[in-house]
Amino acid sequence: MNDTPILITQPNFDKTTQYVSTWSEEVEEFSLKRGNKTITLKGKRSNRDEFESVMRKTVLQLVMLNGHGNDNEVAGQDNEVILDLESAEEIIKGKIIYALSCSATKVLGHSCIKKGAVAFIGYSEEYIFLHSHIKVSRPREDKRAALFFKPSNQIPISLIKGNTAQESYQDSKGILKRVISDLFNSETSNAERVCLPYLIWNYRHLTLLGYEKGTLTPRP
Amino acid sequence: MNEEIKQLVIARLEVLPEDTGISIGSEGEFTRDELIKRVKRGDAIGQKIMEVELDYLKSLKNITSEFLNE
């Protein structure tokens, strides 16, 4: 058992949160396979009280936030804000946070670093993804969405493997680069190639703040 | 000029497969046809899509060195 406890928020109340949360189950499964204590706040449990309680009571090292957000905050279920500029230092300190959320590195990420987060990885603009309406009930079978979420999931997966924040960030960008490069291939279908502007947009706005050499440290 | 760019972006959106959904963070979830309407209307969502598409088109000349030379 590695004992590098992680927390994943999984709100689920619209198509966007349905997709991001369902795809984050890939990270959850990977973490569990590695023997990590893996806490998920699914649906209604993704609220501020539960989030702060887990952040306070558990010695977490990695927090993956899935949900809507803006420069100053990240939300959980039904857009209830769970992390913002008012969040207490004690719940943020010592953690590596990955926010799959819009614009969180603009202001919120810097605030978290000032409050002692080891690193904060997220996006400096809107996170945009494409999917297929036909696959809405089975997001993980949606090949178009996979082009977006596989590279995104690589950040927490790489951290769980023991890589530094910088290496995990680069791993994700490397996979995105490969996906983008493959889409330029002439054999790629139009249904996939239309994703290019949005993949490149996310690539350009993926941002790492804080201590680049920060890692999850297995405890004895 | 702005109208020409708008028409270019609309033409690009028209080739999106009909089953495409686009999620733009907290702004919500849009179909291809809704996005085309937003671009035509020129509202905040339409402007954002124009920004993303234009960013892509402008970067095309550098994309070979950035993404394909590895």
Side-chain angles (χ1 to χ4, degrees):
Chain A
M1 184 147 178
N2 291 330
D3 194 20
T4 49
I6 77 164
L7 168 65
I8 308 173
T9 64
Q10 295 174 331
N12 190 343
F13 61 97
D14 59 11
K15 275 184 199 161
T16 300
T17 52
Q18 182 191 353
Y19 261 80
V20 296
S21 292
T22 304
W23 270 96
S24 76
E25 289 169 3
E26 186 180 59
V27 178
E28 180 185 349
E29 289 156 11
F30 182 81
S31 178
L32 286 168
K33 247 185 221 167
R34 299 279 292 210
N36 293 322
K37 182 173 183 178
T38 308
I39 303 166
T40 53
L41 293 179
K42 294 182 191 292
K44 287 182 180 173
R45 288 193 65 215
S46 191
N47 62 64
R48 188 160 194 142
D49 283 349
E50 289 233 27
F51 175 72
E52 290 193 343
S53 170
V54 173
M55 293 283 274
R56 222 170 244 124
K57 288 178 188 164
T58 317
V59 188
L60 292 165
Q61 295 196 39
L62 172 63
V63 180
M64 181 182 188
L65 300 170
N66 297 288
H68 294 302
N70 58 41
D71 300 8
N72 304 318
E73 56 197 30
V74 175
Q77 185 71 8
D78 300 325
N79 278 333
E80 178 181 346
V81 174
I82 59 170
L83 183 70
D84 60 16
L85 303 179
E86 306 302 318
S87 293
E89 186 178 318
E90 60 173 314
I91 69 166
I92 293 167
K93 202 170 182 178
K95 296 174 176 77
I96 297 179
I97 300 171
Y98 172 47
L100 181 50
S101 188
C102 294
S103 314
T105 60
K106 264 188 185 167
V107 180
L108 179 65
H110 292 282
S111 164
C112 287
I113 296 299
K114 273 186 197 157
K115 288 177 181 171
V118 175
F120 191 104
I121 304 172
Y123 299 84
S124 57
E125 287 289 340
E126 284 85 350
Y127 181 81
I128 302 177
F129 68 89
L130 271 60
H131 65 83
S132 164
H133 290 307
I134 299 162
K135 299 286 185 185
V136 160
S137 59
R138 302 177 308 281
R140 285 179 69 180
E141 292 174 20
D142 187 333
K143 286 183 183 169
R144 205 175 293 154
L147 299 172
F148 293 83
F149 292 114
K150 287 273 182 189
S152 159
N153 281 346
Q154 191 58 29
I155 292 167
I157 286 174
S158 188
L159 281 163
I160 292 165
K161 283 179 178 172
N163 293 315
T164 65
Q166 173 71 15
E167 286 164 344
S168 304
Y169 165 83
Q170 288 298 349
D171 265 2
S172 174
K173 289 200 96 161
I175 291 180
L176 254 175
K177 242 183 179 181
R178 257 203 316 277
V179 168
I180 290 164
S181 167
D182 288 348
L183 288 181
F184 275 106
N185 184 314
S186 58
E187 288 167 20
T188 306
S189 72
N190 182 52
E192 290 178 335
R193 200 175 301 158
V194 293
C195 296
L196 273 168
Y198 306 93
L199 288 164
I200 291 173
W201 175 264
N202 293 337
Y203 176 90
R204 294 206 195 290
H205 295 105
L206 180 61
T207 307
L208 162 65
L209 305 172
Y211 182 49
E212 295 177 348
K213 291 180 181 169
T215 57
L216 309 187
T217 317
R219 275 186 297 278
Chain B
M1 180 66 177
N2 204 26
E3 192 51 38
E4 283 171 19
I5 292 170
K6 199 185 257 189
Q7 291 309 319
L8 175 65
V9 171
I10 289 168
R12 287 186 53 78
L13 292 174
E14 280 170 346
V15 302
L16 288 174
E18 213 176 337
D19 69 323
T20 305
I22 302 183
S23 165
I24 310 175
S26 49
E27 300 292 349
E29 156 80 26
F30 303 90
T31 64
R32 178 193 65 183
D33 294 343
E34 281 165 352
L35 276 188
I36 291 171
K37 275 184 201 162
R38 297 297 194 112
V39 171
K40 281 181 181 167
R41 203 187 297 161
D43 63 13
I45 293 297
Q47 295 284 340
K48 177 55 68 182
I49 291 300
M50 293 219 350
E51 186 185 349
V52 176
E53 290 282 348
L54 275 180
D55 183 60
Y56 170 69
L57 292 171
K58 280 181 194 165
S59 66
L60 272 175
K61 64 175 180 181
N62 300 321
I63 276 175
T64 311
S65 56
E66 193 173 357
F67 294 104
L68 306 181
N69 281 351
E70 283 193 356

